[in-house]
Amino acid sequence: MNKKLLVLSAVLIFSVTIFSVSCKQKEAAKESSSGQVLAKINNTEITLSDFNERLNEYPSVAHGGTLDLETKKGFLDNLIVRELLYQESLRTGLDKEKETAAILEEMKKRILVEKLFKKELEENIKITEEEIKKYYDEHPEEAKAPVETRASHILLKSREEADMVQKKLKAGSKFEDLAKTHSIDTGSKVRGGDLGFFHSGVMVPEFEEAALKLKKGEISDVLETRFGFHIIKVTDKREGKSKTYDEAKMELEQSLLKKKKKEKFDNLVAGLKSKASITIKEDLLK
C-alpha cells in the first residue's frame, strides 16, 4: 500500500467513525429525551445522548471515573475535528476516487463479517450447568493444574563463558557453587540459580522447551535466549493436582464455549460452501 493510500486509509477510518456516530445520533435524537443537539457542524448534528455514549468509551470513564468540564470539551472538539475532516474529504471528492472505493469496500466487508460472527457465533450460545458438570466428569485431564517444573540456571553473557562453566560441571564442580560465582542473574544466583517451580507459558519458549525435556537431576547443554546463554538443571517435577468442580468450572465453561463456537463456525462455512458456486484456477497460484 503506497503512502497516499495509507493517508487515505487514516482519513477514512476517522470518517467512518464520525459517520456512524452521526447516524446513531440522529436515531438517538428520535428515541430519547436526551437527544438534544449538543453541537452542529454545518448540517451534521452531534447529540448529547451519543456524546455520552462515546464518552463512556473513554478509559477513565469506562472504569467508573468522571471527567471534568475541560476534558469533556476536549473530547467534543475531537469529534468536531473528525467531522470537519470527513466533510472536507467529501468536498474534495475523495470518496469518488477508485482507491477510496476499494478501501471502503474492504472496511464494509470486515464490519459485516464481524457482525455476522457476533450474530452467528456469540449470540444464543449458552452453556448449562449440566453441560459443564458432564464435561468435568468426561475430561478429567482438563480439570488438572499444569505440570510444574523446578529448575535452576546459570546465565552467562557469552558462549565462551558458558562453555567454560559447562566444562567445570563435567569435571565435577557443583552447579549451585558455579551459579553463585558466575551467573549474571542477580535474582537467582544467591540461591544457587534456583528459579523455583514454574508451569508452561511462564518462561521464554526456548528455555521452557529445554527444561521440559530434562529429567529430574539432568543438566542441559548451553542454551541461548534473548537474555544470554543458559545452563539449566531440573531439580524437581510435580504433576498438576486435579481441580475441584468449583475450581475448574469457569475454565471448562470457556473451553466448552470455544468448542461450540468452532462447531457452529464449521457448520456455517460448510453450509455456505455447499450452496455456493466456487471456481478456483489453481494453475494461477503457481
Side-chain angles (χ1 to χ4, degrees), residues 220-241:
S220 72
D221 293 329
V222 175
L223 168 73
E224 183 180 6
T225 73
R226 66 175 184 267
F227 299 106
F229 295 85
H230 308 256
I231 300 172
I232 306 168
K233 179 180 180 180
V234 169
T235 57
D236 201 0
K237 289 200 174 188
R238 62 188 181 195
E239 288 292 323
K241 295 180 180 179

Side-chain angles (χ1 to χ4, degrees), residues 198-213:
F198 60 88
H199 56 75
S200 180
V202 174
M203 299 296 185
V204 291
E206 308 95 320
F207 188 101
E208 182 179 290
E209 184 180 354
L212 291 177
K213 288 179 181 178

Side-chain angles (χ1 to χ4, degrees), residues 122-138:
E122 294 182 18
E123 295 177 5
N124 302 320
I125 294 183
K126 294 181 181 180
I127 308 295
T128 66
E129 187 82 17
E130 290 72 23
E131 286 179 298
I132 302 174
K133 287 180 178 177
K134 183 181 179 183
Y135 195 81
Y136 174 78
D137 293 334
E138 295 178 353

Side-chain angles (χ1 to χ4, degrees), residues 64-109:
T66 57
L67 300 177
D68 57 32
L69 182 59
E70 288 305 310
T71 304
K72 288 182 180 180
K73 285 181 179 179
F75 192 81
L76 176 60
D77 185 63
N78 184 47
L79 294 180
I80 291 171
V81 169
R82 289 186 179 188
E83 176 61 29
L84 286 171
L85 288 170
Y86 174 60
Q87 291 182 14
E88 180 64 12
S89 70
L90 295 180
R91 189 191 68 77
T92 57
L94 204 58
D95 59 316
K96 302 294 192 299
E97 293 185 2
K98 186 176 179 180
E99 288 177 324
T100 308
I103 295 173
L104 283 173
E105 185 62 27
E106 180 60 29
M107 292 178 71
K108 178 182 175 182
K109 285 182 181 180

